[in-house]
Amino acid sequence: MIKLEIGHEVELEYGGRAAITGIIGKGIHDIVYIASYNGTQWALKWYDIDKLDDPEKMLKNLKDNVSDGAPNNKFMWPKYITKKYSDGSFGFLMEMKPESFEYLVDILKGYKIVNEPETGRANKKNVRFSSLFAMTASALNIVNAFRKLHKAEKTYQYLDDNGFFINADTGAILVGGCDHIVRNGDAKALKGGMPGYMAPELVKGVACPDINTDRYTLAASLFKLLFRGDPLEGRKVVNDICLTEEEILRHYGEDALFVYDPNDDSNRPVRGIHDSVMKFWETYPDYIKEVFTKAFTDGLNDPSKRVDESEWQSVLTRLRAEVIQCPMCGRTNFARFFDKADHKTYKCTNCREEIPTLEMSHHKWRTPVFKGAKIYECDIYSDSNDFLTVVGEVVENKLRPGVFGIKNCS
Ligand SMILES: [Zn+2]
Protein backbone atom coordinates (compact mmCIF):
# COMPACT_ATOMS: atom_id res chain seq x y z
CA MET A 1 0.00 0.00 0.00
CA ILE A 2 1.28 3.45 -0.87
CA LYS A 3 0.71 5.90 2.00
CA LEU A 4 -0.28 9.37 0.86
CA GLU A 5 1.42 12.48 2.24
CA ILE A 6 -0.02 15.96 2.71
CA GLY A 7 0.31 17.82 -0.59
CA HIS A 8 0.20 14.55 -2.55
CA GLU A 9 -2.29 14.57 -5.45
CA VAL A 10 -4.35 11.60 -6.60
CA GLU A 11 -5.90 11.37 -10.05
CA LEU A 12 -9.60 10.69 -10.33
CA GLU A 13 -11.05 8.29 -12.85
CA TYR A 14 -13.16 10.88 -14.62
CA GLY A 15 -10.45 13.53 -14.64
CA GLY A 16 -9.08 16.08 -12.19
CA ARG A 17 -6.89 15.66 -9.14
CA ALA A 18 -7.64 15.69 -5.44
CA ALA A 19 -4.91 17.11 -3.17
CA ILE A 20 -4.36 15.58 0.28
CA THR A 21 -4.68 18.25 2.99
CA GLY A 22 -5.00 16.21 6.17
CA ILE A 23 -5.82 12.88 7.74
CA ILE A 24 -9.05 11.84 9.45
CA GLY A 25 -8.27 8.35 10.70
CA LYS A 26 -7.38 4.74 10.08
CA GLY A 27 -9.74 1.86 9.49
CA ILE A 28 -9.13 -1.89 9.31
CA HIS A 29 -8.65 -1.82 5.53
CA ASP A 30 -7.92 1.82 4.84
CA ILE A 31 -6.80 5.31 5.79
CA VAL A 32 -9.22 8.23 5.42
CA TYR A 33 -7.68 11.54 4.37
CA ILE A 34 -9.05 15.04 3.85
CA ALA A 35 -8.70 15.97 0.19
CA SER A 36 -9.41 19.15 -1.76
CA TYR A 37 -11.14 18.70 -5.09
CA ASN A 38 -12.87 21.35 -7.21
CA GLY A 39 -12.60 23.85 -4.36
CA THR A 40 -14.43 21.59 -1.89
CA GLN A 41 -13.15 19.44 0.96
CA TRP A 42 -13.87 15.73 0.66
CA ALA A 43 -13.03 12.62 2.63
CA LEU A 44 -10.75 10.32 0.62
CA LYS A 45 -10.86 6.68 1.65
CA TRP A 46 -7.65 5.01 0.49
CA TYR A 47 -7.47 1.21 0.73
CA ASP A 48 -4.67 -0.94 2.01
CA ILE A 49 -5.15 -3.39 -0.83
CA ASP A 50 -3.21 -6.12 1.02
CA LYS A 51 -6.08 -6.18 3.54
CA LEU A 52 -8.77 -6.68 0.89
CA ASP A 53 -9.80 -10.23 0.04
CA ASP A 54 -10.27 -9.32 -3.58
CA PRO A 55 -9.26 -5.77 -4.59
CA GLU A 56 -10.70 -6.18 -8.10
CA LYS A 57 -14.06 -7.23 -6.68
CA MET A 58 -13.95 -4.29 -4.25
CA LEU A 59 -13.27 -1.88 -7.11
CA LYS A 60 -16.06 -3.33 -9.20
CA ASN A 61 -18.43 -3.07 -6.25
CA LEU A 62 -17.45 0.58 -5.76
CA LYS A 63 -18.16 1.27 -9.42
CA ASP A 64 -21.54 -0.46 -9.13
CA ASN A 65 -22.39 1.64 -6.08
CA VAL A 66 -21.35 4.88 -7.77
CA SER A 67 -23.49 4.09 -10.81
CA ASP A 68 -26.48 2.81 -8.76
CA GLY A 69 -26.47 5.92 -6.55
CA ALA A 70 -27.35 6.18 -2.86
CA PRO A 71 -30.66 4.79 -1.50
CA ASN A 72 -31.34 8.30 -0.16
CA ASN A 73 -29.47 11.41 0.96
CA LYS A 74 -28.70 9.96 4.41
CA PHE A 75 -26.00 7.70 2.94
CA MET A 76 -22.51 9.18 2.62
CA TRP A 77 -22.07 7.40 -0.67
CA PRO A 78 -18.88 6.98 -2.74
CA LYS A 79 -18.86 9.82 -5.30
CA TYR A 80 -15.61 9.75 -7.30
CA ILE A 81 -13.24 6.80 -7.65
CA THR A 82 -9.50 7.45 -8.01
CA LYS A 83 -7.30 6.01 -10.72
CA LYS A 84 -5.21 3.02 -9.64
CA TYR A 85 -1.66 3.61 -8.44
CA SER A 86 1.21 1.61 -9.92
CA ASP A 87 0.92 -0.93 -7.07
CA GLY A 88 -2.82 -1.26 -7.63
CA SER A 89 -3.90 0.98 -4.67
CA PHE A 90 -7.09 2.96 -5.12
CA GLY A 91 -9.69 4.88 -3.17
CA PHE A 92 -12.67 7.16 -3.56
CA LEU A 93 -14.04 10.53 -2.50
CA MET A 94 -17.13 10.95 -0.36
CA GLU A 95 -18.65 13.90 1.47
CA MET A 96 -17.11 15.00 4.77
CA LYS A 97 -19.01 14.28 7.97
CA PRO A 98 -20.71 17.50 9.11
CA GLU A 99 -19.38 18.87 12.44
CA SER A 100 -22.80 18.53 14.07
CA PHE A 101 -22.74 14.73 13.67
CA GLU A 102 -20.90 12.49 16.13
CA TYR A 103 -19.33 9.11 15.46
CA LEU A 104 -21.45 6.26 16.80
CA VAL A 105 -18.37 4.99 18.65
CA ASP A 106 -18.14 8.30 20.58
CA ILE A 107 -21.83 8.14 21.47
CA LEU A 108 -21.28 4.57 22.73
CA LYS A 109 -18.26 5.67 24.80
CA GLY A 110 -19.98 8.86 25.98
CA TYR A 111 -17.07 11.12 25.06
CA LYS A 112 -14.70 12.16 22.32
CA ILE A 113 -11.19 13.56 22.27
CA VAL A 114 -11.01 17.04 20.76
CA ASN A 115 -7.72 18.72 19.91
CA GLU A 116 -7.66 22.44 20.66
CA PRO A 117 -6.79 24.14 17.36
CA GLU A 118 -4.41 26.67 18.92
CA THR A 119 -2.46 24.58 21.42
CA GLY A 120 -3.04 21.13 19.98
CA ARG A 121 -3.91 20.00 23.51
CA ALA A 122 -6.28 17.03 23.67
CA ASN A 123 -9.47 17.52 25.66
CA LYS A 124 -12.14 15.02 26.61
CA LYS A 125 -15.61 16.22 25.62
CA ASN A 126 -18.86 14.55 26.60
CA VAL A 127 -20.97 13.15 23.76
CA ARG A 128 -24.49 12.52 24.96
CA PHE A 129 -27.97 12.63 23.50
CA SER A 130 -29.66 15.87 24.51
CA SER A 131 -32.88 13.97 25.30
CA LEU A 132 -34.56 10.57 25.23
CA PHE A 133 -36.51 11.92 22.24
CA ALA A 134 -33.24 12.33 20.29
CA MET A 135 -32.04 8.88 21.36
CA THR A 136 -35.23 7.10 20.30
CA ALA A 137 -35.33 9.14 17.05
CA SER A 138 -31.80 7.99 16.20
CA ALA A 139 -32.79 4.34 16.74
CA LEU A 140 -35.78 4.80 14.40
CA ASN A 141 -33.58 6.53 11.83
CA ILE A 142 -31.14 3.59 11.89
CA VAL A 143 -34.02 1.17 11.28
CA ASN A 144 -35.15 3.34 8.38
CA ALA A 145 -31.65 3.38 6.86
CA PHE A 146 -31.72 -0.43 6.76
CA ARG A 147 -35.20 -0.33 5.25
CA LYS A 148 -34.07 2.02 2.46
CA LEU A 149 -30.96 -0.08 1.85
CA HIS A 150 -32.96 -3.29 1.53
CA LYS A 151 -35.49 -1.63 -0.73
CA ALA A 152 -32.55 -0.83 -3.01
CA GLU A 153 -31.64 -4.59 -2.89
CA LYS A 154 -28.38 -3.88 -1.08
CA THR A 155 -26.81 -5.13 2.15
CA TYR A 156 -23.76 -4.55 4.31
CA GLN A 157 -20.67 -6.75 4.00
CA TYR A 158 -20.17 -5.62 7.54
CA LEU A 159 -20.69 -2.59 9.69
CA ASP A 160 -18.57 -1.23 12.53
CA ASP A 161 -18.55 1.46 15.22
CA ASN A 162 -18.03 4.11 12.54
CA GLY A 163 -21.00 2.98 10.49
CA PHE A 164 -23.33 5.72 11.67
CA PHE A 165 -22.90 9.40 12.40
CA ILE A 166 -25.50 10.81 14.75
CA ASN A 167 -26.69 14.30 15.61
CA ALA A 168 -27.04 13.98 19.39
CA ASP A 169 -29.47 16.93 19.59
CA THR A 170 -31.98 15.72 17.02
CA GLY A 171 -31.31 12.01 16.50
CA ALA A 172 -30.73 12.59 12.77
CA ILE A 173 -28.28 10.08 11.32
CA LEU A 174 -25.94 9.73 8.37
CA VAL A 175 -24.71 6.36 7.18
CA GLY A 176 -20.95 5.96 6.81
CA GLY A 177 -18.92 3.02 5.52
CA CYS A 178 -21.05 2.86 2.37
CA ASP A 179 -18.23 1.17 0.44
CA HIS A 180 -19.04 -1.88 2.61
CA ILE A 181 -22.45 -2.05 0.96
CA VAL A 182 -22.95 -4.72 -1.71
CA ARG A 183 -25.79 -6.00 -3.85
CA ASN A 184 -27.90 -8.50 -1.90
CA GLY A 185 -26.28 -11.97 -1.83
CA ASP A 186 -22.91 -10.87 -3.29
CA ALA A 187 -19.82 -12.47 -1.77
CA LYS A 188 -17.67 -10.30 0.48
CA ALA A 189 -14.71 -8.44 -0.98
CA LEU A 190 -13.39 -7.50 2.46
CA LYS A 191 -11.43 -9.64 4.90
CA GLY A 192 -12.65 -9.94 8.47
CA GLY A 193 -14.99 -7.36 9.90
CA MET A 194 -16.12 -6.38 13.36
CA PRO A 195 -17.51 -9.53 15.03
CA GLY A 196 -19.85 -7.63 17.38
CA TYR A 197 -21.90 -6.47 14.40
CA MET A 198 -21.66 -9.55 12.19
CA ALA A 199 -24.25 -12.30 12.04
CA PRO A 200 -22.85 -15.57 13.45
CA GLU A 201 -23.04 -17.22 10.02
CA LEU A 202 -20.82 -14.48 8.58
CA VAL A 203 -18.36 -14.86 11.48
CA LYS A 204 -18.27 -18.61 10.81
CA GLY A 205 -17.73 -17.87 7.13
CA VAL A 206 -20.62 -20.02 5.98
CA ALA A 207 -22.81 -17.34 4.37
CA CYS A 208 -22.71 -14.34 2.08
CA PRO A 209 -24.10 -10.99 3.24
CA ASP A 210 -27.81 -10.73 2.65
CA ILE A 211 -30.88 -9.08 4.13
CA ASN A 212 -30.99 -11.63 6.97
CA THR A 213 -27.35 -11.10 7.97
CA ASP A 214 -28.15 -7.37 7.96
CA ARG A 215 -31.06 -7.96 10.31
CA TYR A 216 -28.60 -9.35 12.83
CA THR A 217 -26.40 -6.27 12.31
CA LEU A 218 -29.42 -4.03 12.79
CA ALA A 219 -30.33 -5.74 16.09
CA ALA A 220 -26.70 -5.51 17.30
CA SER A 221 -26.49 -1.80 16.36
CA LEU A 222 -29.73 -1.04 18.19
CA PHE A 223 -28.65 -3.02 21.26
CA LYS A 224 -25.36 -1.12 21.40
CA LEU A 225 -27.20 2.19 21.03
CA LEU A 226 -29.85 1.47 23.66
CA PHE A 227 -27.87 -0.66 26.13
CA ARG A 228 -24.32 0.66 25.59
CA GLY A 229 -22.80 -2.77 25.45
CA ASP A 230 -22.48 -5.91 23.38
CA PRO A 231 -25.39 -8.38 23.25
CA LEU A 232 -23.02 -11.39 23.24
CA GLU A 233 -20.33 -10.22 25.66
CA GLY A 234 -20.94 -11.51 29.14
CA ARG A 235 -19.32 -13.82 31.70
CA LYS A 236 -18.39 -16.52 29.19
CA VAL A 237 -16.41 -14.05 27.13
CA VAL A 238 -14.81 -12.31 30.11
CA ASN A 239 -13.67 -15.67 31.56
CA ASP A 240 -11.42 -16.11 28.55
CA ILE A 241 -8.81 -13.69 29.83
CA CYS A 242 -6.65 -13.50 26.71
CA LEU A 243 -8.98 -13.67 23.81
CA THR A 244 -7.24 -14.91 20.70
CA GLU A 245 -8.75 -14.10 17.34
CA GLU A 246 -9.95 -17.70 17.20
CA GLU A 247 -11.72 -17.41 20.56
CA ILE A 248 -13.31 -14.10 19.63
CA LEU A 249 -14.71 -15.73 16.52
CA ARG A 250 -16.01 -18.63 18.61
CA HIS A 251 -17.85 -16.26 20.98
CA TYR A 252 -19.47 -14.43 18.09
CA GLY A 253 -19.90 -17.48 15.88
CA GLU A 254 -20.25 -21.10 16.97
CA ASP A 255 -20.71 -20.43 20.71
CA ALA A 256 -22.64 -17.15 20.43
CA LEU A 257 -25.01 -16.70 23.40
CA PHE A 258 -27.18 -13.69 24.28
CA VAL A 259 -26.26 -12.17 27.64
CA TYR A 260 -29.92 -12.30 28.74
CA ASP A 261 -30.85 -15.65 27.16
CA PRO A 262 -33.81 -16.75 29.32
CA ASN A 263 -32.82 -20.44 29.07
CA ASP A 264 -29.08 -20.16 29.65
CA ASP A 265 -27.59 -17.76 32.18
CA SER A 266 -23.95 -18.72 31.60
CA ASN A 267 -23.15 -15.50 29.71
CA ARG A 268 -24.84 -12.89 31.94
CA PRO A 269 -23.30 -9.39 32.14
CA VAL A 270 -20.60 -9.05 34.79
CA ARG A 271 -20.85 -6.33 37.45
CA GLY A 272 -18.00 -3.84 37.14
CA ILE A 273 -17.56 -4.61 33.45
CA HIS A 274 -21.02 -4.54 31.88
CA ASP A 275 -22.71 -2.09 34.27
CA SER A 276 -24.37 -0.09 31.48
CA VAL A 277 -26.08 -3.15 30.02
CA MET A 278 -27.27 -4.19 33.50
CA LYS A 279 -28.58 -0.70 34.27
CA PHE A 280 -30.38 -0.25 30.96
CA TRP A 281 -31.86 -3.77 31.09
CA GLU A 282 -33.69 -2.52 34.19
CA THR A 283 -34.64 0.75 32.47
CA TYR A 284 -36.45 -0.29 29.30
CA PRO A 285 -40.03 -1.51 29.21
CA ASP A 286 -40.72 -5.25 28.75
CA TYR A 287 -41.72 -4.97 25.07
CA ILE A 288 -38.23 -3.65 24.25
CA LYS A 289 -36.51 -6.42 26.23
CA GLU A 290 -38.76 -9.00 24.56
CA VAL A 291 -37.91 -7.90 21.03
CA PHE A 292 -34.18 -7.95 21.76
CA THR A 293 -34.51 -11.37 23.40
CA LYS A 294 -36.24 -12.65 20.26
CA ALA A 295 -33.55 -11.09 18.04
CA PHE A 296 -30.70 -12.73 19.98
CA THR A 297 -32.24 -16.11 20.85
CA ASP A 298 -34.57 -17.39 18.08
CA GLY A 299 -32.93 -15.04 15.61
CA LEU A 300 -29.34 -15.69 16.66
CA ASN A 301 -28.71 -18.84 14.63
CA ASP A 302 -31.89 -18.97 12.56
CA PRO A 303 -31.72 -16.10 10.05
CA SER A 304 -35.39 -16.54 9.10
CA LYS A 305 -36.47 -15.71 12.67
CA ARG A 306 -34.73 -12.35 12.93
CA VAL A 307 -36.64 -9.20 13.76
CA ASP A 308 -37.43 -7.24 10.61
CA GLU A 309 -37.49 -3.49 10.13
CA SER A 310 -41.28 -3.21 10.50
CA GLU A 311 -41.24 -4.90 13.90
CA TRP A 312 -38.38 -2.70 15.12
CA GLN A 313 -40.19 0.36 13.88
CA SER A 314 -43.35 -0.66 15.63
CA VAL A 315 -41.70 -1.14 19.06
CA LEU A 316 -39.46 1.91 18.69
CA THR A 317 -42.30 4.25 17.70
CA ARG A 318 -44.04 3.06 20.85
CA LEU A 319 -40.89 3.71 22.89
CA ARG A 320 -40.66 7.22 21.38
CA ALA A 321 -44.33 7.91 22.10
CA GLU A 322 -43.85 6.72 25.68
CA VAL A 323 -41.15 9.25 26.48
CA ILE A 324 -43.11 11.60 28.71
CA GLN A 325 -42.02 15.14 29.48
CA CYS A 326 -44.03 16.29 32.48
CA PRO A 327 -45.67 19.60 31.45
CA MET A 328 -45.50 20.86 35.05
CA CYS A 329 -41.99 20.04 36.32
CA GLY A 330 -40.24 18.98 33.12
CA ARG A 331 -39.28 15.51 34.39
CA THR A 332 -38.61 13.39 31.29
CA ASN A 333 -38.55 9.61 31.32
CA PHE A 334 -40.16 6.52 29.87
CA ALA A 335 -43.83 6.10 30.78
CA ARG A 336 -43.06 3.06 32.96
CA PHE A 337 -41.34 5.39 35.43
CA PHE A 338 -44.54 7.42 35.88
CA ASP A 339 -47.26 6.27 38.26
CA LYS A 340 -50.65 5.22 36.91
CA ALA A 341 -53.59 7.21 38.29
CA ASP A 342 -55.89 4.85 36.36
CA HIS A 343 -55.56 2.85 33.15
CA LYS A 344 -55.97 6.04 31.09
CA THR A 345 -53.81 8.44 33.09
CA TYR A 346 -50.16 8.66 34.10
CA LYS A 347 -49.09 10.63 37.15
CA CYS A 348 -45.73 12.40 37.57
CA THR A 349 -43.84 10.85 40.51
CA ASN A 350 -42.18 14.21 41.11
CA CYS A 351 -45.00 16.80 41.05
CA ARG A 352 -48.12 14.54 40.84
CA GLU A 353 -49.26 16.21 37.60
CA GLU A 354 -51.66 13.95 35.69
CA ILE A 355 -50.87 13.10 32.08
CA PRO A 356 -53.80 11.82 30.02
CA THR A 357 -53.52 9.26 27.20
CA LEU A 358 -55.16 8.75 23.83
CA GLU A 359 -56.25 5.48 22.31
CA MET A 360 -55.16 5.01 18.69
CA SER A 361 -57.28 2.54 16.75
CA HIS A 362 -54.42 0.26 15.64
CA HIS A 363 -52.20 0.46 18.72
CA LYS A 364 -52.64 -1.93 21.62
CA TRP A 365 -51.27 0.73 23.93
CA ARG A 366 -52.37 4.25 24.84
CA THR A 367 -50.35 7.30 23.75
CA PRO A 368 -49.49 9.79 26.53
CA VAL A 369 -50.48 13.34 25.56
CA PHE A 370 -48.76 16.38 27.02
CA LYS A 371 -47.78 19.81 25.74
CA GLY A 372 -45.39 19.38 22.82
CA ALA A 373 -46.17 15.66 22.31
CA LYS A 374 -46.22 14.81 18.61
CA ILE A 375 -48.41 12.42 16.69
CA TYR A 376 -46.90 10.89 13.57
CA GLU A 377 -48.46 9.54 10.41
CA CYS A 378 -47.71 5.92 11.40
CA ASP A 379 -49.65 6.51 14.65
CA ILE A 380 -52.90 7.19 12.85
CA TYR A 381 -52.71 5.03 9.71
CA SER A 382 -52.19 1.31 10.33
CA ASP A 383 -50.62 0.79 6.88
CA SER A 384 -48.17 3.71 7.17
CA ASN A 385 -44.42 3.29 7.66
CA ASP A 386 -43.93 7.02 7.95
CA PHE A 387 -42.55 7.64 11.41
CA LEU A 388 -41.21 11.09 10.51
CA THR A 389 -44.16 13.14 9.30
CA VAL A 390 -45.80 14.95 12.20
CA VAL A 391 -49.58 15.05 11.68
CA GLY A 392 -50.54 16.47 15.06
CA GLU A 393 -49.02 18.26 18.03
CA VAL A 394 -50.46 18.80 21.50
CA VAL A 395 -50.67 22.56 22.09
CA GLU A 396 -51.91 24.76 24.94
CA ASN A 397 -54.71 27.21 24.25
CA LYS A 398 -53.09 30.66 24.31
CA LEU A 399 -56.18 32.34 25.77
CA ARG A 400 -56.99 29.61 28.24
CA PRO A 401 -53.81 28.26 29.87
CA GLY A 402 -54.21 24.70 31.05
CA VAL A 403 -56.55 23.84 28.18
CA PHE A 404 -54.93 21.60 25.59
CA GLY A 405 -55.83 20.56 22.09
CA ILE A 406 -54.24 18.75 19.17
CA LYS A 407 -53.10 21.00 16.35
CA ASN A 408 -53.59 19.46 12.92
CA CYS A 409 -50.16 19.60 11.24
CA SER A 410 -51.00 17.50 8.20
ZN1 LIG B 1 -43.95 16.61 37.07
Side-chain angles (χ1 to χ4, degrees), residues 326-331 338 348-353 355:
C326 173
M328 190 57 76
C329 72
R331 177 175 180 263
F338 283 70
C348 179
T349 49
N350 191 31
C351 72
R352 311 310 293 162
E353 174 76 0
I355 293 128

Side-chain angles (χ1 to χ4, degrees), residues 257-309:
L257 179 65
F258 181 40
V259 291
Y260 282 110
D261 188 311
N263 299 316
D264 184 343
D265 65 1
S266 63
N267 198 28
R268 287 283 184 269
V270 177
R271 197 167 296 283
I273 301 175
H274 308 118
D275 292 347
S276 295
V277 174
M278 294 168 91
K279 181 180 101 183
F280 289 119
W281 194 253
E282 296 304 314
T283 300
Y284 287 102
D286 287 345
Y287 59 87
I288 290 290
K289 292 193 268 195
E290 281 159 15
V291 75
F292 277 107
T293 302
K294 178 177 161 186
F296 295 117
T297 55
D298 295 347
L300 187 62
N301 293 310
D302 184 346
S304 69
K305 291 191 176 159
R306 290 192 178 139
V307 178
D308 66 14
E309 294 88 309

Side-chain angles (χ1 to χ4, degrees), residues 8 34 40 51 101-102 146 196 208 227 238 253 268 318 337 355:
H8 207 121
I34 305 171
T40 305
K51 303 244 172 84
F101 283 73
E102 310 288 354
F146 276 85
C208 284
F227 294 89
V238 171
R268 287 283 184 269
R318 177 173 178 186
F337 293 105
I355 293 128

